[in-house]
Every structure is written in C-alpha cells, then in structure tokens.
C-alpha cells in the first residue's frame, strides 16, 4: 500500500475546517500515519469519519457508523497476485503477460503516470526559488556624449513558504501522481480480467462448435434415415421436412458460433496489442475446472489491497492539500531577492564595478473581489465530493465481492440442475425414438425431445462458461496490484524498463541497437 502522509490536515486549515470546512470528526482519520494502519482499526476509523461542510447539504448521505460484517463466504486458498495463474492455463498466462508489455491503452496509462510525476517535480521546484543570469545593454543618445552601459550578473528570488502554501501544492501533486499510478495498476487488473474473460469465452465458443458438429452429424444421419424410410413408404413427408428443419437449425447455430469465434479472436488480438486481421489462437475446447474458492479475508484488508479504493483515498488526500493551499493564500507572503551585477561603460571597466543588492517583499491581499474565499469554498466542496466518491468506491468493492460469491453459489446449483435436465432429456429422447419405431409415438414428439436435448447441451456449456467468468470477477474483486512487468517464466526474452512497469517495444529496441552499432 502506498505511504500515507503523517498529517493530512495542515495547521493552516484547522480553524477554517472547524468553522466552514471539514468537521472535527474527520480529523482523527486524516491524522493516521502508515504505521498505525492496522487492519480493523484502519477501517473502523474510516467508517466513523464524517465529512461535514459549512453547508451540510453538501454531504448526503452520511456513512454508516458500524464496522462492516465479514464476507458471506470464504475459502482457504490464498490467491497469488497474478490471480489468473490459478486456472492453470499456460496459454492464458502467456497472453496476459504479453499484453502487459504490448497493450497500447496500458502503455498510455503509464505515460500518464510519468506526466503526473513530472508535474509534481515541476511544482516542487518552487520550493527552491529561481536564480537567473542577467545581461543588459543600455545606450543613451542625446545632448552631450553618447553613453553605452553593459550590465551582467545574477538575479535571484526566493519565496519564503511561511504558511506552507507551496508545500501544500507540492504535496497535492505528489499525491495526485500516486493516485495516477494506482489508477494505472487498476487498469492493469482490469486488462488482465478482460483478457481472461475473452480467452474463456473463446474456449467455450470452440466447445460449442465441437458440440454443434456432433449434433449436425447426428441430425444429418437422422435426416438420411427419415428420407430412406419415406422412400419405402413408411413415414409421411412432413416427418422428413421436420428433420431437415432440425438439421438447418443446428447449421445456423454453428454459423453463429463460428462468427463468435472470429469476433472474440479480434477482441483478444486488440487486447494483446496485435493486428486483428491475422489473429488466430489455439485455446482448445475444454473449459478449466473451477479452482478452490479463494480466501476473501476481512473487508478492511480488501480496502488496503484494491488499487481503485486506495486511488480514491489518495485523491481525497490531495484535495485536502488543495484546501490547505487555498487557505494559505489568505495570508501575506514574503519574497527574498538578491542580485550580483557588474556595470561597465567601457571595456576597461568590465569586471571592475560590482553591485550587490539584497531585499525582500511583503505582499498581502487587500481586495480581490472574493476570489480567494471562492477558491477555498471550491476546494472544500471538491474535498467533500472526493470523500463521498471514496465511500462509494468502498461500497462498490464490497458489493462486487458479495455479488460474485452469491452468483457462484447459485450458478453451481443451476449447473447441477442443467446436468440433470440433459440426462433426463437424453433418456426421454431415446425412449421416444424406440416407441416411434414401433409406432407408439408421433415423430413430432421425437423431434421435440431431440431439439430440447440439444438445446440443453448448449445451455450447459454456456452455464459452465458463466461459472468461470463469475470466478474471474471474484478474483478481480479481491485482487490487489501486482508487478506489471511481464515475467520471464511466461515470455522467452522480456526486455524490461526497470524504472517503470512496462516492457520496451521490441521494434523500437531493435532500431536502437542498429543505431548503436552504426555509431
């Protein structure tokens, strides 16, 4: 988990927050440091915190003051940070690892992290003042002798951060950079889950095609038998037509499944940063066995683990620093200035006459039309907004885990019922066929039973896919951030930029190597 500031509320906005900003009940949470963020205490303090504004209507609704109950279910399996390896599919592992180094959206998110860090460094430069080189040439023309004066030297200015206004701005940008980095890791988790969903959907689509091929072969054989029986005068033409209709229906379903395979391959190719025109993946046609139920842990542990929750909390901290900075602008500011100049009116006097100047400025706001107070009101409202957004993200995180647990529980029941239906439909179809051959049943009943059996078989495959996708959602809901650099155990020769969690583009690297060899 990213480090939290030792004191989020700065001294300057303490009194303002008591009267018109954040209520005192929020301050205990904001003063927590990283060493005191213990599991139960950390979350309990968060829930007890209440964001109160001067206008209480800005904060609706309030947080519940009771600690959350444990999750409804929990397994014993501890999930790895690379949760997708739990499915034991090396091809899936390879695709996700490749995407971590080649997905353009993920690379774009990493660039946003770099930009945010650069912005924080730029903001931090204000703490050190400015030192400039100065060169000036002045010429005077008029009555008397013309005169040319050369001035050169150094000029510096240092803003004294008496009230912490600059430091608050710097802290805010550093916190926003941390939030951007957490958003990058959240996107990496989302990307891995999307690839897993697409991969397993592709597996199921291949399984559907395989099943449909078997059904087509069975229906084609049935059509040939019915045509033969019709030629012998044993059955009516209507029975043959119905059998042909069943065959055409399964052929239609096969066309839909094959189109779905191509579309899913295109989607997977885009996710892993490849051209969709030539995309082809050997996924197999067997969905994996469901791994043991993972350990869900405590709700407070989930909040410390999920990057999206931590991102919203860090963004909330940054907003608090913005409030502190806005309040500091109400107070006078001090600038220190110094200069070292050489003044010469002829080449002979260069480096002879030096002038040192040291001064200071005290600048205090008098009239600004309410601009500074309006900025305090704005940043305070944003602070409350981000706190509420953080609270909503917490609830969403809990809901995603509970939703996945509930859906998996009842999906297992559904699959059990579907398997029983498939078994009963097979027995019914076989019984009706035998009765039809001896004239005790209509062919329409046989056809209806066969159609129902085949439809149930396809539904069972879809339900098994849904079960796997539900487990993917559960892993995604429980997952924390991970090392986004592709692992060598899955890629043959990953070349990694150690400063940032991205893999260098191989074509770009090859061009660099060619340039170096030419040099």
């Amino acid at each position: 988990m990213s480090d939290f500031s030792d004191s989020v509320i700065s001294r300057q906005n303490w009194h303002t927050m008591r009267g018109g900003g954040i209520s005192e009940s929020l301050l205990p949470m904001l003063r927590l440091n990283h060493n005191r963020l213990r599991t139960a205490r950390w979350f309990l303090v968060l829930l007890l915190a209440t964001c109160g504004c001067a206008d209480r209507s800005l904060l609706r609704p309030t947080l519940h003051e009771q600690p959350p109950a444990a999750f409804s279910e929990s397994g014993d399996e501890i999930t790895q940070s690379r949760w997708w390896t739990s499915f034991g599919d090396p091809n899936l592992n390879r695709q996700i690892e490749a995407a971590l180094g080649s997905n353009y959206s993920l690379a774009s998110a990493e660039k946003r992290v770099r930009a945010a860090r650069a912005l924080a460094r730029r903001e931090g430069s204000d703490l050190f003042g400015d030192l400039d080189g100065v060169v000036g040439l002045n010429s005077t023309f008029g009555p008397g002798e013309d005169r040319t004066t050369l001035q050169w030297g150094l000029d510096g200015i240092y803003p004294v951060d008496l009230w912490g206004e600059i430091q608050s701005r710097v802290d805010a940008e550093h916190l926003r950079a941390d939030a951007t980095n957490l958003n990058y890791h959240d996107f990496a988790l989302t990307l891995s889950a999307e690839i897993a969903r697409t991969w397993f959907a592709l597996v199921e689509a291949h399984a559907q095609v395989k099943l449909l091929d078997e059904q087509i072969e069975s229906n084609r054989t049935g059509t040939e038998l019915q045509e033969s029986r019709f030629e012998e005068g044993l059955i009516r033409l209507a029975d043959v037509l119905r059998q042909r209709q069943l065959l055409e229906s399964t052929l239609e379903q096969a066309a839909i499944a094959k189109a779905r395979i191509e579309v899913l391959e295109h989607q997977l190719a885009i996710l892993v940063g490849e051209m969709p025109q030539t995309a082809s993946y050997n996924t197999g046609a067997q969905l994996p066995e469901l791994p043991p139920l993972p350990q869900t842990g405590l709700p407070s542990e989930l909040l410390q683990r999920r990057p999206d929750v931590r991102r919203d909390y860090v963004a909330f901290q940054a907003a608090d620093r913005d409030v502190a900075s806005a309040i500091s602008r109400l107070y006078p500011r001090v600038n220190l200035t110094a200069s070292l100049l050489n003044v010469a009116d002829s080449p002979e006097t260069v480096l002879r006459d030096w002038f040192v100047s040291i001064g200071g400025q005290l600048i205090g706001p008098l009239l600004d039309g309410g601009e500074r107070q309006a900025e305090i009101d704005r940043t305070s409202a944003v602070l409350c907004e981000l706190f509420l957004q953080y609270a909503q993200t917490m609830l969403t995180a809990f809901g995603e885990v509970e939703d996945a647990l509930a859906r998996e529980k009842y999906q297992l029941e559904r699959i059990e019922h579907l398997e029983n239906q498939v078994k009963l439909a097979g027995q019914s179809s076989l019984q009706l066929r035998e009765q039809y051959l001896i004239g005790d049943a209509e062919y329409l009943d046989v056809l209806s039973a066969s159609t129902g059996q085949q439809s149930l078989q396809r539904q069972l495959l879809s339900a098994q896919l849904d079960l796997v996708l539900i487990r993917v959602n559960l892993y995604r809901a429980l997952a924390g951030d991970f090392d986004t650099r592709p692992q060598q155990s899955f890629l043959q020769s990953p070349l990694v930029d150690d400063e940032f969690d991205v893999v260098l583009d191989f074509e770009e690297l090859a061009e660099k190597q060619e340039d170096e060899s030419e040099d």
Side-chain angles (χ1 to χ4, degrees):
M1 190 171 188
S2 60
D3 292 339
F4 291 97
S5 301
D6 289 342
S7 177
V8 180
I9 296 293
S10 57
R11 185 173 300 175
Q12 285 72 30
N13 59 0
W14 168 271
H15 298 290
T16 299
M17 288 186 170
R18 294 183 63 179
I22 304 300
S23 66
E24 293 184 41
S25 60
L26 181 60
L27 299 180
M29 180 196 71
L30 298 176
R31 287 169 174 259
L32 288 176
N33 58 36
H34 182 68
N35 295 327
R36 286 180 286 174
L37 288 177
R38 296 297 181 261
T39 301
R41 292 177 57 198
W42 184 86
F43 179 68
L44 180 60
V45 173
L46 287 180
L47 285 184
L48 294 176
T50 304
C51 180
C53 302
D55 181 3
R56 294 280 178 171
S57 64
L58 291 177
L59 186 62
R60 295 290 186 272
T62 57
L63 284 177
H64 300 288
E65 295 188 357
Q66 295 296 326
F71 291 118
S72 57
E73 292 186 47
S74 179
D76 298 325
E77 191 77 12
I78 298 177
T79 307
Q80 301 295 324
S81 59
R82 279 172 150 70
W83 54 266
W84 55 87
T85 60
S86 301
F87 291 105
D89 189 335
N91 290 325
L92 170 63
N93 298 344
R94 189 175 300 111
Q95 295 301 327
I96 294 179
E97 296 294 336
L100 293 176
S102 57
N103 180 271
Y104 291 104
S105 296
L106 183 63
S108 175
E110 187 273 330
K111 298 304 178 186
R112 287 193 291 273
V113 175
R114 294 194 182 198
R117 289 173 178 171
L119 181 59
R121 293 196 304 271
R122 186 190 73 181
E123 202 71 32
S125 65
D126 290 343
L127 291 170
F128 302 100
D130 294 325
L131 180 64
D132 301 316
V134 178
V135 176
L137 184 64
N138 297 319
S139 297
T140 304
F141 305 96
E145 183 181 358
D146 294 341
R147 186 175 181 180
T148 299
T149 302
L150 173 66
Q151 297 180 357
W152 65 279
L154 300 174
D155 183 74
I157 181 170
Y158 177 74
V160 181
D161 195 22
L162 288 177
W163 318 110
E165 189 267 338
I166 298 176
Q167 186 63 56
S168 295
R169 285 193 285 110
V170 174
D171 292 343
E173 292 304 330
H174 278 291
L175 288 167
R176 270 189 275 271
D178 291 340
T180 305
N181 184 54
L182 288 168
N183 189 66
Y184 163 73
H185 283 278
D186 182 62
F187 184 84
L189 274 175
T190 302
L191 174 64
S192 62
E194 189 63 27
I195 292 175
R197 294 188 193 102
T198 307
W199 181 267
F200 291 129
L202 196 52
V203 173
E204 187 265 348
H206 281 289
Q208 290 281 8
V209 169
K210 182 179 179 181
L211 175 61
L212 284 164
D213 287 342
E214 295 173 357
Q215 293 177 352
I216 289 170
E217 185 63 28
S218 175
N219 293 339
R220 183 173 284 118
T221 300
T223 301
E224 293 173 355
L225 289 175
Q226 290 298 91
E227 289 173 348
S228 176
R229 288 168 61 83
F230 173 72
E231 291 174 358
E232 295 176 4
L234 299 177
I235 60 173
R236 299 171 300 172
L237 178 61
D239 293 341
V240 178
L241 296 177
R242 291 191 184 104
Q243 181 62 35
R244 289 176 179 175
Q245 181 183 358
L246 177 60
L247 175 60
E248 290 297 326
S249 175
T250 49
L251 288 170
E252 177 206 2
Q253 293 299 317
I256 294 174
K258 291 175 182 177
R260 183 162 169 259
I261 287 176
E262 292 201 18
V263 171
L264 287 170
E265 287 182 336
H266 298 162
Q267 293 175 357
L268 184 59
I270 293 172
L271 288 171
V272 299
E274 297 177 352
M275 290 293 181
Q277 294 90 326
T278 57
S280 179
Y281 300 95
N282 182 21
T283 62
Q286 182 64 46
L287 287 168
E289 293 290 333
L290 199 66
L293 188 67
Q295 188 180 87
T296 55
L298 296 174
S300 53
E301 294 174 337
L302 178 69
L303 299 184
Q304 297 183 59
R305 190 167 57 241
R306 283 186 51 146
D308 56 339
V309 177
R310 292 155 52 201
R311 173 200 63 204
D312 287 354
Y313 181 75
V314 172
F316 166 58
Q317 287 182 299
D320 169 67
R321 295 301 191 186
D322 288 335
V323 174
S325 177
I327 294 172
S328 299
R329 295 192 189 102
L330 294 174
Y331 306 119
R333 63 185 187 272
V334 175
N335 292 331
L336 300 180
T337 60
S339 63
L340 175 64
L341 296 176
N342 174 260
V343 181
D345 54 7
S346 65
E348 293 79 9
T349 59
V350 173
L351 300 178
R352 189 187 68 183
D353 299 326
W354 290 92
F355 297 87
V356 177
S357 173
I358 298 176
Q361 292 178 324
L362 178 64
I363 305 172
L366 297 178
L367 296 174
D368 63 358
E371 176 188 353
R372 290 175 175 81
Q373 185 58 50
E375 179 64 12
I376 293 174
D377 295 341
R378 185 193 71 82
T379 53
S380 297
V382 171
L383 177 63
C384 293
E385 173 195 356
L386 291 178
F387 181 83
L388 294 173
Q389 182 176 323
Y390 169 61
Q392 184 63 43
T393 304
M394 286 194 299
L395 295 180
T396 301
F398 296 150
E400 288 175 353
V401 174
E402 285 296 329
D403 288 347
L405 290 172
R407 291 184 63 197
E408 181 171 318
K409 174 183 176 181
Y410 292 107
Q411 188 69 13
L412 287 169
E413 291 186 14
R414 181 193 174 206
I415 289 176
E416 182 180 355
H417 293 312
L418 277 172
E419 288 174 343
N420 292 335
Q421 290 183 70
V422 170
K423 182 179 179 181
L424 293 171
Q427 295 173 351
S428 173
S429 179
L430 180 61
Q431 186 70 24
L432 285 170
R433 284 182 182 277
E434 292 176 353
Q435 291 179 355
Y436 171 72
L437 291 176
I438 61 176
D440 288 344
E442 293 291 331
Y443 189 70
L444 185 59
D445 295 333
V446 176
L447 198 63
S448 177
S450 179
T451 302
Q453 179 188 10
Q454 293 181 2
S455 176
L456 284 170
Q457 290 173 335
R458 296 194 292 268
Q459 288 182 43
L460 180 58
L461 272 178
S462 297
Q464 291 170 343
L465 170 64
D466 290 340
L467 179 62
V468 174
L469 296 184
I470 290 170
R471 175 55 64 85
V472 170
N473 292 339
L474 179 58
Y475 283 137
R476 171 65 182 88
L478 293 172
D481 49 6
F482 59 93
D483 185 359
T484 57
R485 293 172 296 183
Q487 301 298 297
Q488 293 187 359
S489 57
F490 301 108
L491 295 176
Q492 293 180 353
S493 300
L495 299 175
V496 180
D497 180 353
D498 291 328
E499 183 180 359
F500 298 96
D501 297 341
V502 292
V503 171
L504 295 174
D505 183 76
F506 286 96
E507 294 181 0
E508 179 183 353
L509 186 62
E511 293 176 359
K512 290 182 178 179
Q513 291 176 343
E514 290 178 1
D515 294 340
E516 291 175 357
S517 62
E518 292 176 358
D519 294 340

